[in-house]
Amino acid sequence: QIYFGAAFYFFSLTFGATDLYAAFGFTKFTPTIVALLLFFQTLWAPVDKLLSFFLTIFSRHNEFAADEFSVNLEMSQVLQSGLCKIHLENLGAMCPDPWYSMYHYSHPPLVERLAAMMALDRKRK
């Protein structure tokens, strides 16, 4: 809700910018649907990419926190087994490129999660 509220607030700020629409050939009038398309495809797109990246990082952080919680409950072996089964069923990439997975994957790759849980298990003992 905050995302759409912010998007439409900034759209309302740019809706009256006649220079923006004149650059795309709309000099006499500004159709609202065209204004929305121009805004979301040109001005809002970089903001959207940046927000998506931060939300992905936050989601990955929460996944590692959940894994740590399972280690604290002494259930990490069960979780590791379950993650491996799910990963095999979904035919996920075992070791994707770190930069690609950081930007595109909301969940950390299996190898990273297993390594983090094993490190926490060793540290706990």
Side-chain angles (χ1 to χ4, degrees):
Q1 292 173 346
I2 293 171
Y3 174 84
F4 285 112
F8 283 110
Y9 170 73
F10 286 109
F11 171 71
S12 72
L13 296 178
T14 61
F15 185 67
T18 56
D19 293 341
L20 174 67
Y21 305 113
F24 288 96
F26 296 98
T27 54
K28 295 182 179 159
F29 65 95
T30 306
T32 305
I33 191 70
V34 171
L36 277 169
L37 289 172
L38 286 175
F39 175 75
F40 281 107
Q41 290 180 352
T42 58
L43 300 176
W44 189 253
V47 174
D48 181 53
K49 295 294 183 194
L50 194 62
L51 288 175
S52 295
F53 178 66
F54 286 128
L55 289 174
T56 300
I57 288 175
F58 182 67
S59 175
R60 291 168 64 98
H61 169 75
N62 288 339
E63 287 297 321
F64 282 120
D67 294 345
E68 184 177 357
F69 184 72
S70 75
V71 169
N72 291 338
L73 291 177
E74 297 179 1
M75 299 288 289
S76 78
Q77 296 297 328
V78 176
L79 179 60
Q80 290 177 31
S81 173
L83 287 173
C84 288
K85 288 177 186 175
I86 290 171
H87 197 73
L88 288 174
E89 282 181 20
N90 293 338
L91 302 174
M94 286 300 290
C95 195
D97 181 63
W99 290 100
Y100 183 85
S101 69
M102 182 185 297
Y103 184 78
H104 292 283
Y105 293 178
S106 62
H107 290 64
L110 179 65
V111 175
E112 287 182 33
R113 291 182 77 177
L114 293 178
M117 281 189 276
M118 288 178 197
L120 287 171
D121 276 339
R122 283 192 299 272
K123 192 165 121 177
R124 189 168 166 81
K125 292 178 184 179

